[in-house]
Amino acid sequence: MGSLEEILTGFQVAISLEGIMFVLLGVFVGTFIGMLPGLGPITAIAIMIPITYGMDPALALVMMAGVYYGAVFGGSTSSILLNAPGISGTVASSFDGYPMAQNGQAGKALAIAAISSFIGGTISVVLLMAFAPMLSSVAVSFGPPAYFALMLLGLTAIASLSEGSTLKALISAVVGFMVATIGIDPQTGTARFDFGVPRLLDGIDFLVIALGLFAISEVGYLVINRFKASFASAKELGSLKLSKQDLKDISGPAGRQSILGFILGILPGAGATIASFIGYISEKRISKNPEKFGKGYIKGLAGPETANNAATSGSFVPLLSLGIPGSGTTAVMLGAFLVLGIQPGPMLMGDHPDVFWGVIASMYIGNIFLLVLNLPLIPYIARVLTTPRPLLISLVMMFSLIGVYSISFSTFDLYLLLGFGVLGFLMRMFAFPAPPFILAFILGGMMEQSFRQAMTSSQGNLSVFFTNNISLALIILSVLSFAFPIIQSMRQKKKQA
Amino acid sequence: MTRNVNRIIGLILALLATGYLLLSYQLPTYDYIPVDADVIPKALGWLLLILSVALFFSKDQDSEEQKAKRHVAKKDVKAMAGVFGITLIYIMLLEVVGFIVMTSIFVFFCSLFLGYRQHVVNAIVSISFPIFIYSIFVFLLNINLPQGILPL
Amino acid sequence: MRKVLASSLFALMLIVLAACGGGDSESAEGNGSDESSESSGDNGESSSEESSWTPAGSIEVVAPAGAGGGWDTTARMTAQTLTEEGIIEQDMGVVNKPGAGGAVGWSYIANQNDPHNIFVSSSPLLLVPLNGQSEHTYEDFTPIANVIADYGAFVTGPDAEWDTLDELFQDMKDGNASEITVVGTSAPGSMDHIQFIRFARAAGVDVSNISYVSDPDAGGVTQVMNGSADVFSTGIGDVTEQIRSGDVKPLAVTSEERLDGDTLGEIPTAKEQGIDETFVNWRGFFGPPDMTDAQVAYYENKLKEMSDSEAFADIRENYAWDEMYMDSEEYQTFLEEENQVFKDILSDLDMLEE
């Protein structure tokens, strides 16, 4: 922890009139861009970089940080309303958020997302402020074996993401993993399964798969139900009313996932996606009524939403205290620092305490702004769902098409999107769950790479996964996590017998 | 009947796994790399093959609700094929005709095709929405979308 | 019935539109150029005499990569300086064409073949084609000017047993090569890997069994800090702060002479350690295959003016880039030499794709 004086300098930056204005601007632009199809925090930050040129570094970075967490915040909107996750961190939010919106509780779902994001954001900033300098050692403690084990732990979630047949969930996951192997293999430079198409050399973009499997396949069902009346009345739909019980339901996941999400966010490379999935799964595991998950359960939305926002704050630990960007987004954020002549790294706190603490302090204010800005808008945003079905279908299709096009500028990716849409529809028709597919797609690629990195470093010796303490602990946890549901169901059967 | 469904899907997956495996075995390998680019794909291919066999012989566990989902009326299939076709044409012509024109046409006709009868509202939405998106992307965010035939 | 009507109307309109669009589809695809579509077909060159050329419309600066990377940053900063300093009056738009390590963007430029499109590239323009991953090579494009350079560095964890690059290479020559893991951000056969091999080769190390790990998520620093890998081969800019704080130990920098700056100036070059090799990560601009001398001269002059401007000097300083201006001719010769070096290295590694 820095000296009190330095922290106060930070607050001085953040609470000054200009500071407040730039935070406001940042979170506003961030939320807005985050809600646009396909555009996530990476694009939002990259676009804002030229604007900051020549500004006071502390103020500019306070704004850029606002753009970052604002975009994460805004990203969940399309996930909840249209089942169209724009960034990987919000996929898990759609599992219960979208069913809630479908049940006519869109306003409530968005409000829960906003509140849990706020809690996740705020608690994690407290943690960031208190422990940032100390936690930098955590960020570098993970070598390839530990990453492999972490991904493995994430993958054990497949069993709990399936409803009905575990066999089908496994098949989904294996196919998802296979899709992740398309493209140039980073360890050898070998092109795999590219069929001679240059666009496939980089692999298939996450967005193509997420929007295809979730949004476009959902369009299929909307088409079948196209003559059904729209959702509940606009008033009911936009209602933000949360009962005492609702708030109580939020508080548990929000508290737990703020801390868990923050810790996972610290690890370079893991970030918001893994945090949100683990957030969802861990809430489901400890829940007394896991059967409610996936059907529009408050805890199933609050968990991942808290976690992905907490992870965003966590990702500032390696960036600010070590100068290591842990993800594509923080790499662009690093670029934003550089253009202002600030080098994030171990010396940042000493060289520029106003920037270091200013950015952190501004996050408190930014999170409050996000809540205050968004809550009043929710009734209007939720009204998107009152659009007559035929028009809504066209707009969802558009949203997905633009989203993919604006990141790849390639019509090839649009054909792929359509293809994955059809696949997603067929999968639902034959009860193959999509979440394991996308989870394996995201984690599989990273898992393969860290596995092979570890094997190369150890000259092919498998024991490297068991001699490293972190990796060993995570592997044990994975085994338990995998065995737990099986043991549970066996016990239940015994009871019944 | 349901058992048949699992058999057909099992067969398709087995074919997929075989094709994938064939490609995996053609991947080049290097002597000095302990776990090469082909190892994980081979493992995945075999795993899928085993799982597809398991599916082939497995009993159907679907709920009634799930089975009902599988039944799609003929006119719905036609409607879906229509949306699919319109989207396909959209993708083919997007870069030639341009974003605004193509998107307006897409939104208007797709909604019309699906039975939306308020033509005025439809026209307003399908023209204003693409212009709005285009303006934000191109003028505000500096992300170029295909401008096509419009001299904007 | 109505549906049939609707869809046939739709089809009809499309045919009409496609017919309209077909006429100048060439310029229509080049999103972002406006006036050029009016003078379509002539690429703006026929109207002007040979001695001087000015763009007929807005200029598109293509970054053959996604937002946020080195190429994207260079493209955006260049476009910004050129317009804000009033060096170029036309609109300049940055277009990202990500994919296949640059190959997607390169093939876009080659197919457009429009002198209003220029693009930024660096060593991968040579390496990706040599790895057999692009149908276009640097010879398919017109080098305009190189503008900046940065340098590579080799670092280890703070407690590593080697203090210099020479010590490391001696150790490798003593038969410990297989136990040393090199980590880099890019895949084998590209930048970071080749950079290490280039120096190891010059020092006489057997390069056939060096184990190299790629960590695309910028995890290289972490890997040497926690001991998962031994040496990190990277750009100096990526590790300056960690060197300054002592979290990593620099073995050598790849420049000809020591760099400026308190921290950077203390890092020895490979050359002064007796390894006769240097590596410059150059970055510059290229144009489409068919460009007239006048068109090349136009961009060359503008980029020279930009490179000399104070505004760009500030940008260089912030990003720790070095100035390295080369005009079209010098650039061409330089590229040919570099390409030959890469070719030799890759064929030693048995990675050259013919």
Side-chain angles (χ1 to χ4, degrees):
Chain A
M1 193 155 176
S3 76
L4 202 60
E5 201 179 329
E6 284 172 348
I7 296 179
L8 284 176
T9 327
F11 272 101
Q12 259 169 12
V13 173
I15 302 183
S16 69
L17 187 65
E18 285 161 303
I20 290 180
M21 264 174 51
F22 281 111
V23 174
L24 192 63
L25 186 68
V27 296
F28 181 77
V29 171
T31 333
F32 181 72
I33 297 182
M35 284 181 190
L36 287 175
L39 303 187
I42 294 190
T43 335
I45 297 167
I47 287 163
M48 293 296 281
I49 286 179
I51 298 171
T52 61
Y53 193 70
M55 273 171 64
D56 173 69
L59 290 175
L61 289 168
V62 157
M63 180 178 82
M64 295 306 273
V67 171
Y68 180 15
Y69 52 79
V72 174
F73 191 102
S76 54
T77 309
S78 60
S79 196
I80 292 170
L81 289 183
L82 308 173
N83 208 21
I87 47 171
S88 50
T90 62
V91 174
S93 309
S94 71
F95 297 165
D96 277 273
Y98 185 67
M100 263 184 100
Q102 291 292 295
N103 298 340
Q105 298 178 309
K108 194 170 156 186
L110 290 173
I112 290 168
I115 292 169
S116 21
S117 297
F118 169 74
I119 299 174
T122 307
I123 295 184
S124 59
V125 179
V126 177
L127 297 174
L128 181 62
M129 185 158 256
F131 303 116
M134 271 181 269
L135 285 174
S136 57
S137 59
V138 175
V140 292
S141 58
F142 270 58
Y147 271 109
F148 167 76
L150 180 67
M151 303 299 154
L152 192 68
L153 179 63
L155 276 183
T156 58
I158 288 168
S160 55
L161 282 175
S162 65
E163 303 197 352
S165 164
T166 313
L167 178 62
K168 285 182 173 177
L170 279 175
I171 291 175
S172 273
V174 172
V175 178
F177 202 153
M178 282 177 162
V179 174
T181 60
I182 294 174
I184 293 177
D185 164 44
Q187 296 313 315
T188 56
T190 308
R192 298 191 291 190
F193 316 108
D194 64 326
F195 304 101
V197 181
R199 275 228 61 93
L200 284 180
L201 288 176
D202 278 348
I204 297 174
D205 196 90
F206 158 81
L207 207 60
V208 171
I209 293 177
L211 290 177
L213 289 186
F214 289 83
I216 306 270
S217 76
E218 182 62 25
V219 163
Y221 279 94
L222 287 175
V223 167
I224 293 176
N225 298 320
R226 66 191 176 286
F227 298 120
K228 272 196 191 155
S230 292
F231 303 97
S233 73
K235 202 177 155 203
E236 211 178 303
L237 194 67
S239 163
L240 303 177
K241 243 191 201 155
L242 297 177
S243 66
K244 262 195 187 148
Q245 183 59 40
D246 292 342
L247 290 174
K248 218 171 145 193
D249 280 346
I250 299 176
S251 65
R256 285 186 289 272
Q257 300 309 330
S258 292
I259 297 168
L260 191 58
F262 178 74
I263 294 171
L264 289 169
I266 293 174
L267 302 173
T273 311
I274 295 182
S276 64
F277 272 103
I278 291 188
Y280 184 83
I281 297 147
S282 56
E283 285 305 321
K284 190 173 173 179
R285 280 285 160 75
I286 59 169
S287 172
K288 281 190 199 101
N289 17 23
E291 74 285 350
K292 281 192 182 171
F293 280 78
K295 298 185 181 87
Y297 189 39
I298 293 177
K299 288 188 176 182
L301 175 59
E305 266 304 298
T306 311
N308 70 24
N309 283 276
T312 306
S313 315
S315 70
F316 275 93
V317 171
L319 180 69
L320 291 177
S321 59
L322 293 167
I324 297 173
S327 64
T329 317
T330 36
V332 184
M333 196 70 200
L334 183 82
F337 276 79
L338 292 180
V339 78
L340 292 158
I342 305 264
Q343 268 280 357
M347 314 300 276
L348 178 67
M349 200 168 61
D351 291 353
H352 303 277
D354 56 327
V355 171
F356 187 91
W357 295 109
V359 167
I360 295 178
S362 74
M363 290 180 176
Y364 288 106
I365 301 164
N367 273 296
I368 296 171
F369 277 146
L370 278 174
L371 193 65
V372 175
L373 269 179
N374 280 280
L375 281 182
L377 289 177
I378 286 175
Y380 303 99
I381 297 172
R383 240 171 250 182
V384 168
L385 291 185
T386 61
T387 315
R389 289 265 171 118
L391 200 55
L392 186 67
I393 293 171
S394 313
L395 293 177
V396 173
M397 285 300 287
M398 277 324 315
F399 191 87
S400 311
L401 290 164
I402 303 167
V404 168
Y405 191 82
S406 64
I407 50 147
S408 68
F409 306 101
S410 131
T411 46
F412 177 77
D413 281 23
L414 295 182
Y415 291 116
L416 276 182
L417 171 73
L418 205 54
F420 276 104
V422 173
L423 177 69
F425 184 81
L426 293 175
M427 280 170 66
R428 281 171 65 164
M429 212 159 134
F430 294 103
F432 285 87
F437 188 108
I438 198 137
L439 183 67
F441 172 76
I442 298 171
L443 299 187
M446 291 195 262
M447 185 164 127
E448 183 193 356
Q449 295 309 323
S450 38
F451 176 69
R452 289 170 53 204
Q453 283 169 359
M455 293 303 277
T456 304
S457 304
S458 69
Q459 282 98 46
N461 193 341
L462 271 172
S463 68
V464 62
F465 296 103
F466 306 102
T467 49
N468 175 302
N469 287 338
I470 303 174
S471 143
L472 182 65
L474 286 169
I475 288 178
I476 293 172
L477 216 57
S478 307
V479 172
L480 289 178
S481 160
F482 193 74
F484 183 68
I486 301 172
I487 296 169
Q488 213 173 22
S489 74
M490 282 199 324
R491 252 199 212 151
Q492 257 166 5
K493 271 183 195 155
K494 241 185 206 169
K495 258 187 205 165
Q496 280 164 357
Chain B
M1 168 65 199
T2 44
R3 185 127 184 213
N4 267 336
V5 172
N6 278 352
R7 296 212 156 167
I8 295 166
I9 299 176
L11 272 178
I12 295 172
L13 286 170
L15 276 177
L16 177 77
T18 316
Y20 184 86
L21 274 173
L22 282 178
L23 289 171
S24 307
Y25 276 92
Q26 285 165 18
L27 290 171
T29 51
Y30 301 93
D31 297 335
Y32 53 89
I33 293 170
V35 183
D36 215 323
D38 60 329
V39 176
I40 304 286
K42 282 177 189 164
L44 288 172
W46 285 111
L47 189 58
L48 186 64
L49 202 60
I50 294 167
L51 290 174
S52 63
V53 171
L55 185 70
F56 188 87
F57 292 108
S58 76
K59 259 196 264 163
D60 192 67
Q61 298 178 326
D62 286 355
S63 59
E64 285 305 313
E65 189 192 354
Q66 194 59 47
K67 279 173 193 157
K69 250 190 187 173
R70 218 166 284 169
H71 180 76
V72 182
K74 237 185 179 170
K75 64 175 172 59
D76 290 335
V77 176
K78 272 187 190 162
M80 277 190 271
V83 174
F84 184 84
I86 296 175
T87 313
L88 214 56
I89 297 172
Y90 175 84
I91 299 174
M92 280 191 279
L93 295 180
L94 174 68
E95 289 186 341
V96 182
V97 178
F99 178 81
I100 296 185
V101 178
M102 220 36 228
T103 309
S104 299
I105 294 174
F106 177 88
V107 174
F108 187 83
F109 284 95
C110 190
S111 311
L112 187 68
F113 173 77
L114 291 171
Y116 190 55
R117 289 287 165 262
Q118 280 167 303
H119 303 303
V120 181
V121 181
N122 194 355
I124 294 173
V125 172
S126 55
I127 292 174
S128 59
F129 178 73
I131 293 182
F132 174 68
I133 294 275
Y134 188 86
S135 318
I136 293 177
F137 273 70
V138 175
F139 301 119
L140 221 59
L141 304 181
N142 269 327
I143 299 174
N144 281 310
L145 294 174
Q147 142 218 350
I149 53 172
L150 286 186
L152 261 178
Chain C
M1 190 56 215
R2 273 190 155 166
K3 260 181 217 158
V4 179
L5 198 74
S7 35
S8 44
L9 226 109
F10 177 74
L12 192 76
M13 274 196 78
L14 289 175
I15 293 164
V16 174
L17 281 167
C20 303
D24 52 3
S25 65
E26 194 185 298
S27 56
E29 279 205 346
N31 37 20
S33 54
D34 28 83
E35 286 135 73
S36 67
S37 57
E38 283 155 30
S39 60
S40 71
D42 60 10
N43 283 346
E45 52 184 276
S46 63
S47 53
S48 49
E49 63 265 51
E50 269 303 294
S51 57
S52 75
W53 177 84
T54 42
S58 58
I59 296 167
E60 190 175 291
V61 185
V62 176
W71 287 346
D72 178 63
T73 315
T74 314
R76 285 185 194 275
M77 290 301 144
T78 302
Q80 184 187 308
T81 316
L82 285 173
T83 29
E84 278 183 9
E85 297 292 300
I87 300 172
I88 286 185
E89 277 161 21
Q90 275 78 13
D91 279 347
M92 296 190 79
V94 173
V95 177
N96 294 95
K97 291 277 171 195
V104 170
W106 300 327
S107 94
Y108 166 79
I109 294 280
N111 294 335
Q112 291 288 114
N113 205 357
D114 179 342
H116 295 90
N117 291 344
I118 59 170
F119 69 98
V120 58
S121 272
S122 55
S123 305
L125 179 60
L126 306 176
L127 284 167
V128 172
L130 289 174
N131 281 310
Q133 284 152 2
S134 166
E135 49 172 325
H136 297 98
T137 70
Y138 80 102
E139 287 166 330
D140 291 322
F141 302 102
T142 316
I144 294 171
N146 192 67
V147 283
I148 50 171
D150 48 35
Y151 301 95
F154 306 103
V155 301
T156 63
D159 311 319
E161 50 188 296
W162 321 282
D163 289 320
T164 63
L165 191 61
D166 190 47
E167 283 178 36
L168 170 73
F169 285 154
Q170 282 308 331
D171 200 15
M172 292 179 98
K173 278 193 261 185
D174 291 344
N176 296 323
S178 64
E179 274 160 40
I180 291 164
T181 309
V182 183
V183 65
T185 310
S186 57
S190 52
M191 288 284 292
D192 299 339
H193 182 218
I194 297 304
Q195 174 182 300
F196 186 83
I197 301 292
R198 192 169 175 155
F199 285 82
R201 203 166 152 261
V205 177
D206 173 16
V207 294
S208 61
N209 61 351
I210 288 177
S211 57
Y212 174 82
V213 180
S214 157
D215 196 330
D217 295 321
V221 188
T222 324
Q223 290 216 17
V224 288
M225 277 168 78
N226 64 28
S228 305
D230 301 296
V231 189
F232 181 30
S233 168
T234 184
I236 182 76
D238 293 336
V239 283
T240 312
E241 285 304 293
Q242 289 79 13
I243 293 173
R244 196 149 77 96
S245 64
D247 284 317
V248 299
K249 180 162 69 180
L251 296 180
V253 61
T254 68
S255 54
E256 178 84 39
E257 281 162 19
R258 286 198 183 200
L259 301 172
D260 294 334
D262 290 343
T263 314
L264 296 179
E266 286 165 24
I267 309 169
T269 64
K271 247 193 171 152
E272 66 189 76
Q273 299 176 29
I275 304 158
D276 188 21
E277 187 61 86
T278 58
F279 177 67
V280 184
N281 184 19
W282 46 274
R283 215 177 291 168
F285 288 87
F286 297 80
D290 305 317
M291 281 179 97
T292 63
D293 290 345
Q295 287 162 351
V296 174
Y298 171 82
Y299 287 115
E300 222 177 36
N301 291 334
K302 298 294 181 190
L303 288 170
K304 173 76 184 152
E305 201 179 322
M306 176 196 77
S307 179
D308 291 341
S309 72
E310 243 169 69
F312 203 70
D314 286 345
I315 291 171
R316 274 198 302 261
E317 200 188 318
N318 286 345
Y319 283 101
W321 295 333
D322 245 25
E323 180 179 357
M324 187 184 175
Y325 183 84
M326 278 188 271
D327 66 21
S328 179
E329 221 168 289
E330 290 172 81
Y331 208 7
Q332 181 69 39
T333 327
F334 173 80
L335 291 170
E336 277 160 22
E337 287 167 12
E338 277 292 290
N339 199 52
Q340 194 51 51
V341 176
F342 286 146
K343 239 179 168 167
D344 294 344
I345 295 173
L346 285 168
S347 80
D348 277 7
L349 290 172
D350 208 12
M351 292 182 86
L352 188 65
E353 298 281 331
E354 294 300 340

